[in-house]
Amino acid sequence: MLKAKKIIVSSLTTILALGVLAPVADVSAASVKKASKGYQTKQEKKLYTYAKKMMKSNKNGLSTKSPLFSKKTYPKTGASAGYSDFLLGLKKQGYKFSKSDKKLVKKNLVVSKKSDPADLSKAIIGLQAIGVNPTKYKASGNKKTVNLVNALYKKSMTKQTVNVQSQALIAISSNKTFKKPSKAAYSKKSLSTKIVKKQQSNKGWAYNDTLASVDSDTTAMAVTALTMGKNKSKKVKTATKNGRSYLKKAIYKSGAFGFTYAGKENPNANSTAEAIMALATNKTAFNFINKKAIKSGQKQTPLKSMLGYVKSAGTVKGAYDMSLAYGQVSLGASAYHHGKYTNKMVYVFK
C-alpha cells in the first residue's frame, strides 16, 4: 500500500498543474479496448513470477539491485518504500510466505510505538499480508510485544497530510477485529471528517491541500480510505461520490491516469492502479474499470492500460521502485476480481 512519498514517475508528491478537464460522458463501449481474461492472466503471471524472484533473492529489482528488506539500506524503516503493497500483492496472487520469508521481514523491519503514522500504517498492512498480527507484534530479538494499531490510534492526525490521514484510515479499517483504544487521538469517524474537509473545489484531493496540486493518486487513496472507514454521514458519502467523479474526469484518452505537469500529461501504471482501486469501491464505477468507456474517444479501459505497462520480463515500464510498482499494479488487478464486483476491498483482511 501504502507508500512513502512518490517521485514524479508515480505523481503522488509532484506539484501538479491541473488543466481543464473534459466533462464525463457515459459513452458506448464499442470502440474501447478491454483487457480480456486471457490477457489479464498473462500479464498478472509475468508480474507474479518476477515478484516471487524478488522475494526469494531479497532484491528490489531493476538495475539498482537494492534489497527489499535491509536495516542498513533503509535505517528508518528497514524496507523499501513499497514493501507493504508488495507483500499484499503477493498474498493476493496466492503466494505462501515461508518461515524464512517472515523471518526476513521481522528481522529487518524497523517499527515501534515511536514510528510515525505513515510507517505504522504500512507495517500494519504489510505484517497482516505475511500472517503476522500487528496488535501483538514482537520484533526479532525482542521479548515484549507491541500493539501497532494502538500506537497508530494514539498519533495526532491534526497536522498530517491527507495522504498520511488516508493511509492511517485504511490501516485501522483493514481488520474488523481492530479496536480503538482508550485515550485514542481520533476515531474512524473523526478521521474521515478530517479527510473530507481537505477535499478541493474540483472534487479532488491534493498531497499539499491546494487546488492547483490536486491529483489522481491522492484522490484515489482518499476515496478508498473513506469507503473503508464506513462513515455513513451524508457529507462523507457525498465526498466519496464526488471523488470518484473527479477520477472519471481525470482519465486520459489512453485509459490511463497520471498527472499533468507544465501542460504535459504524465500517465503511469501506479496512478492507474490507484484509480482502479478507487473505482472498485462502487458497483456503478466498477464498470468503468474494464467494461465500458468513461469518455468519448477513450482508447482503452484503465485495466487494459495498466496491464500494458507490464513488460515481458515482468517489470513495470517507468517504475523506479519495483516493490511499489508490483504492489500497486497487482492490487489494482486484484481489485477488479476478473470482472466480479465485490464490496470487500483489497486492503481488508477480516
Side-chain angles (χ1 to χ4, degrees):
M1 154 186 159
L2 296 169
K3 50 206 178 229
K5 288 185 176 181
K6 293 182 183 179
I7 60 172
I8 197 166
V9 174
S10 52
S11 85
L12 188 57
T13 60
T14 306
I15 298 177
L16 308 174
L18 188 64
V20 177
L21 297 170
V24 176
D26 187 1
V27 298
S28 170
S31 61
V32 68
K33 293 182 179 179
K34 305 173 187 177
S36 67
K37 287 186 178 180
Y39 183 70
Q40 292 172 53
T41 300
K42 182 181 72 172
Q43 296 301 88
E44 289 172 29
K45 184 178 180 180
K46 291 177 185 176
L47 272 172
Y48 182 51
T49 300
Y50 191 84
K52 285 193 296 183
K53 292 178 181 177
M54 290 168 62
M55 188 72 219
K56 184 177 180 179
S57 62
N58 190 30
K59 296 295 182 181
N60 196 24
L62 304 180
S63 61
T64 61
K65 303 299 181 183
S66 297
L68 273 167
F69 300 95
S70 168
K71 287 182 179 179
K72 181 179 179 180
T73 306
Y74 317 103
K76 182 174 181 289
T77 61
S80 64
Y83 83 90
S84 58
D85 278 354
F86 174 84
L87 294 175
L88 183 54
L90 280 173
K91 175 181 171 61
K92 291 293 181 180
Q93 288 194 290
Y95 185 81
K96 304 297 182 183
F97 292 95
S98 65
K99 289 183 179 180
S100 60
D101 290 334
K102 295 178 182 181
K103 184 178 180 180
L104 173 69
V105 176
K106 293 178 69 175
K107 179 182 178 181
N108 289 285
L109 194 62
V110 179
V111 62
S112 69
K113 292 180 180 180
K114 296 181 180 180
S115 297
D116 63 40
D119 291 337
L120 283 167
S121 298
K122 288 192 292 183
I124 289 168
I125 296 297
L127 288 171
Q128 287 184 95
I130 65 172
V132 175
N133 187 348
T135 67
K136 298 178 180 179
Y137 179 62
K138 184 185 292 185
S140 179
N142 287 10
K143 294 182 178 181
K144 293 184 178 180
T145 61
V146 59
N147 189 325
L148 301 179
V149 176
N150 281 4
L152 178 56
Y153 260 118
K154 292 182 179 181
K155 299 289 182 179
S156 174
M157 288 291 150
T158 303
K159 296 182 180 181
Q160 297 295 336
T161 66
V162 70
N163 285 314
V164 174
Q165 291 173 347
S166 296
Q167 283 182 300
L169 184 55
I170 287 171
I172 63 176
S173 303
S174 64
N175 196 312
K176 64 183 179 183
T177 66
F178 292 165
K179 305 297 182 183
K180 180 172 70 70
S182 59
K183 298 182 180 180
Y186 58 90
S187 64
K188 285 191 274 189
K189 182 178 180 180
S190 66
L191 188 52
S192 295
T193 300
K194 288 181 184 296
I195 293 171
V196 169
K197 286 181 178 179
K198 292 188 175 184
Q199 190 170 35
Q200 301 299 308
S201 60
N202 65 356
K203 302 180 181 179
W205 281 267
Y207 73 94
N208 62 358
D209 302 327
T210 64
L211 179 61
S213 298
V214 168
D215 67 282
S216 295
D217 288 68
T218 306
T219 300
M221 188 186 288
V223 168
T224 297
L226 290 175
T227 305
M228 288 181 64
K230 295 184 177 181
N231 187 316
K232 298 184 183 301
S233 77
K234 184 177 180 180
K235 285 186 178 180
V236 172
K237 287 184 176 181
T238 299
T240 307
K241 180 180 179 180
N242 286 343
R244 286 192 294 266
S245 294
Y246 169 84
L247 292 172
K248 293 174 187 177
K249 292 179 181 179
I251 191 172
Y252 300 142
K253 286 191 175 182
S254 65
F257 288 81
F259 59 95
T260 303
Y261 183 69
K264 182 180 179 181
E265 293 181 353
N266 293 273
N268 61 85
N270 294 73
S271 297
T272 308
E274 291 274 15
I276 287 173
M277 284 185 265
L279 292 173
T281 62
N282 173 269
K283 193 171 185 179
T284 300
F286 180 84
N287 291 325
F288 294 120
I289 296 174
N290 194 47
K291 294 184 178 181
K292 59 182 180 180
I294 298 174
K295 285 183 177 180
S296 177
Q298 183 181 325
K299 297 178 181 179
Q300 302 181 114
T301 62
L303 186 66
K304 174 74 170 177
S305 180
M306 180 190 74
L307 292 176
Y309 284 94
V310 179
K311 301 165 74 174
S312 59
T315 57
V316 178
K317 181 181 179 181
Y320 72 94
D321 182 325
M322 262 303 294
S323 66
L324 183 63
Y326 165 76
Q328 293 189 325
V329 172
S330 177
L331 293 180
S334 295
Y336 185 60
H337 300 285
H338 291 284
K340 295 179 181 179
Y341 174 75
T342 173
N343 58 9
K344 184 176 181 180
M345 291 181 285
V346 291
Y347 289 115
V348 174
F349 293 86
K350 288 184 180 179

